[in-house]
Amino acid sequence: MPALSLSPITDANRTKFLSVSVLPDQIKFSGTVAEAYGSAEEGIDFHGIWLGDQPIGFFKIDRLYHTRYPFAGERELGLRAFMIDANQQGQGIATRAVEALSTYIPQHYPDAQAVVLTVNMANPGAIRCYQKGGFEDTSETWPHGEAGPQHIMRMDLATKPAKPTLRERFKPFFAWVRRNVPRGMRLFLGVLLIIGGIFGFLPILGFWMIPLGVMVAAMDVRLYRRWRSRRANRR
């Protein structure tokens, strides 16, 4: 089977997704691609689902979902108008596409913490699909759906921890320097590290030694400045 992929819809491929259509009884839940294109809602981005080079699905990401629905947080996106072409249904493609959202959305919306959707209570197939794909039922309901009351579902997005800074990575080393290297010698150690960093292309050594050496040397420089400042104040 060809690979499944997601991508933003652009002006170049926009018309290709007009061929995506759901079964007649599903239109009341998802609408149509033409209706989505025709609505001029602020904060809406269109995305497509591909099977190889064939467009087979469509969904909208609502960046202003929290302003339209009180149950959504400021950093939560809305998933809307999710649909898989009728000819591709029943093969697990919808579940695979939903699963792909957990990695796809952070790539395009790195500040988002979660994705939220509402799904009609009379649409059990869609509910199962979203649950298999990683959404959780919040046990809350939204009574104002156009086709009736809806379940509120949410998918938390895994956020990568911030990459530690050089100072954070070498915090134990700096503590060791303060305990074991006498004042006045830290500048000398820092210069040696900088020199080693200059030859970072050699084995064992590395260019990361240059900023490390600067920070070690700065320990003595700061102490010297404080000593000069205190001495000046005594005069």
Side-chain angles (χ1 to χ4, degrees), residues 43-129:
I44 298 293
D45 299 326
F46 301 137
H47 296 264
I49 304 168
W50 301 80
L51 196 60
D53 58 359
Q54 180 183 0
I56 53 96
F58 173 90
F59 62 94
K60 299 191 293 187
I61 291 296
D62 188 346
R63 291 177 279 108
L64 298 179
Y65 199 70
H66 65 283
T67 66
R68 312 183 210 274
Y69 298 96
F71 52 79
E74 187 173 352
R75 294 179 63 186
E76 295 180 336
L77 302 171
L79 176 65
R80 300 172 57 188
F82 182 89
M83 63 185 84
I84 297 294
D85 188 79
N87 295 323
Q88 303 292 338
Q89 294 182 17
Q91 305 176 54
I93 291 175
T95 300
R96 290 170 56 196
V98 174
E99 289 174 340
L101 292 173
S102 63
T103 54
Y104 175 77
I105 290 180
Q107 294 173 359
H108 296 273
Y109 306 92
D111 294 330
Q113 293 180 334
V115 188
V116 186
L117 62 82
T118 60
V119 55
N120 197 281
M121 292 181 178
N123 194 359
I127 294 171
R128 288 193 299 270
C129 172

Side-chain angles (χ1 to χ4, degrees), residues 148-221:
Q150 300 172 309
H151 290 288
I152 299 172
M153 306 185 76
R154 177 178 279 104
M155 175 193 283
D156 290 326
L157 300 172
T159 54
K160 294 182 180 179
K163 188 175 181 180
T165 64
L166 188 67
R167 184 178 295 278
E168 291 169 338
R169 286 167 52 198
F170 285 96
K171 192 174 181 179
F173 174 73
F174 291 132
W176 180 87
V177 169
R178 291 189 183 94
R179 290 193 307 267
N180 298 283
V181 180
R183 296 176 180 177
M185 291 299 295
R186 298 170 187 173
L187 179 61
F188 177 71
L189 175 60
V191 171
L192 288 180
L193 287 169
I194 293 171
I195 293 173
I198 293 173
F199 297 94
F201 54 88
L202 297 175
I204 302 176
L205 305 178
F207 296 110
W208 52 268
M209 296 173 68
I210 296 176
L212 181 64
V214 171
M215 285 186 279
V216 170
M219 294 181 183
D220 270 357
V221 173

Side-chain angles (χ1 to χ4, degrees), residues 18 27 30-41 46 58 60 83:
L18 289 171
I27 293 177
S30 64
T32 67
V33 175
E35 289 173 346
Y37 286 166
S39 62
E41 291 182 279
F46 301 137
F58 173 90
K60 299 191 293 187
M83 63 185 84

